């Protein structure tokens, strides 16, 4: 019985140079599967290459919601603190379409109203719908990032009939998280859950068959200032055992079943 990280960024510049050590640490902590998420064509290529040489890594191909309108944001002079190669919406979607067959999941994709100005929300939605359609066409699970636009993302997913969906690092209200779980979607809890009240409450109160573990590494480490990595899901599993008043083996068994239900694969 293994542990797994359903949302990692092993190709992030902070992790990539020491990725073999990061994977060894994960293995030592009992992690058997790491779903590494791509953000744009260049990053998707890196995820793909890593997964090809490290079987513990499963490739999720995506188009980060901010990246989908990055060119337009630049043209508008909107400030965005990330150095990514800007590609057109068409280019980003085409990459995912061309490689969907070999994807373990499609993600991360979604809607972001925090960085993206409202004038670009329609354009962002259009790309999101195109990516969801690709996932549905290929019967792939979807990994969602959304910020400030959770309700709208749920409306679109419902309308399009997407069922195998994981909401990563859900930042909306806990009440909406429960509504999402009742719809049959999953929510993955990051490794900072112990020091984050909303994630603690989600872990405690969401239906247990709808919870998964993730890290979003290198972000959201268990301790402030620490660099996150997939090995940290072991700490979240221990925390879940405390909250659920059960053994860690029971948590692992539960998470394994949930993983299989969403991804249609053994962890
Ligand atoms: Zn992410």
């Amino acid at each position: 019985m293994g542990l797994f990280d359903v949302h990692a960024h092993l190709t992030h510049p902070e992790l990539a140079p020491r990725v073999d050590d990061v994977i060894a640490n994960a293995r030592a902590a009992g992690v058997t599967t790491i779903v590494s998420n791509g953000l744009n064509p260049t990053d998707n290529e890196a995820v793909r290459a890593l997964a090809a040489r490290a079987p513990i890594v499963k490739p999720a191909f995506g188009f980060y919601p901010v990246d989908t309108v990055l060119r337009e944001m630049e043209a508008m002079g909107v400030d965005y603190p990330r150095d990514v190669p800007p590609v057109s919406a068409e280019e980003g979607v085409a990459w995912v379409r061309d490689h969907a067959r070999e994807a373990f999941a499609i993600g991360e994709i979604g809607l972001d109203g925090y960085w993206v100005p409202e004038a670009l929300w329609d354009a962002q939605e259009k790309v999101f719908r195109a990516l969801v359609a690709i996932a549905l066409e290929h019967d792939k699970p979807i990994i969602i990032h959304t910020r400030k636009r959770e309700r709208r993302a749920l409306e679109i997913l419902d309308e399009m009939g997407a069922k195998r969906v994981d909401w990563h690092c859900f930042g909306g209200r806990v009440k909406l998280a429960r509504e999402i779980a009742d719809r049959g979607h999953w929510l993955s809890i990051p490794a900072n859950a112990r020091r984050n009240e909303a994630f603690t409450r989600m872990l405690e109160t969401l239906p247990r068959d709808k919870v998964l573990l993730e890290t979003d590494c290198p972000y959201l480490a268990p301790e402030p200032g620490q660099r996150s990595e997939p090995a940290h899901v072991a700490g979240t599993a221990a925390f879940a055992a405390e909250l659920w008043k059960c053994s860690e083996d029971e948590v692992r068994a539960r998470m394994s079943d949930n993983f299989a239900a969403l991804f249609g694969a053994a962890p």
Side-chain angles (χ1 to χ4, degrees), residues 7 9 37 39 64 108 145 168 216:
H7 189 95
H9 294 284
N37 286 234
L39 304 171
Y64 192 68
E108 58 188 290
H145 162 100
H168 118 81
D216 201 21

Side-chain angles (χ1 to χ4, degrees), residues 202-218:
M202 282 167 59
L203 197 51
E204 200 168 19
T205 64
L206 287 176
R208 291 180 192 171
D209 61 340
K210 293 299 168 194
V211 173
L212 289 163
L213 302 182
E214 66 156 277
T215 58
D216 201 21
C217 60

Side-chain angles (χ1 to χ4, degrees), residues 106-240:
I106 300 299
E108 58 188 290
I109 63 172
L111 298 176
D112 190 306
Y114 179 82
W115 294 109
V116 176
E118 199 166 344
L120 295 175
W121 286 4
D122 280 350
Q124 191 186 37
E125 275 192 28
K126 216 177 128 203
V127 178
F128 178 49
R129 283 175 185 275
L131 294 162
V132 171
I134 291 168
L136 294 175
E137 191 185 317
H138 291 268
D139 194 23
K140 299 289 181 181
I142 297 168
I143 298 171
I144 293 290
H145 162 100
T146 179
R147 204 164 169 194
K148 306 274 179 214
R149 303 213 66 211
E150 290 83 4
R151 174 69 68 184
R152 184 66 187 144
L154 182 59
E155 280 170 13
I156 292 171
L157 289 164
D158 268 352
E159 187 195 302
M160 296 184 70
K163 305 248 183 285
R164 289 163 68 205
V165 179
D166 173 52
W167 295 68
H168 118 81
C169 281
F170 186 76
R173 290 172 187 276
V174 176
K175 198 167 156 258
L176 182 56
R178 277 189 215 115
E179 210 180 307
I180 287 168
D182 290 343
R183 285 289 213 298
H185 296 181
W186 288 259
L187 296 107
S188 48
I189 308 295
N192 67 349
R194 228 179 247 277
R195 61 181 173 89
N196 179 298
E197 205 190 315
F199 289 137
T200 298
R201 277 177 58 215
M202 282 167 59
L203 197 51
E204 200 168 19
T205 64
L206 287 176
R208 291 180 192 171
D209 61 340
K210 293 299 168 194
V211 173
L212 289 163
L213 302 182
E214 66 156 277
T215 58
D216 201 21
C217 60
Y219 307 107
L220 306 177
E223 302 299 332
Q226 195 182 20
R227 226 183 250 165
S228 187
E229 50 178 274
H232 292 139
V233 294
T236 324
F239 185 41

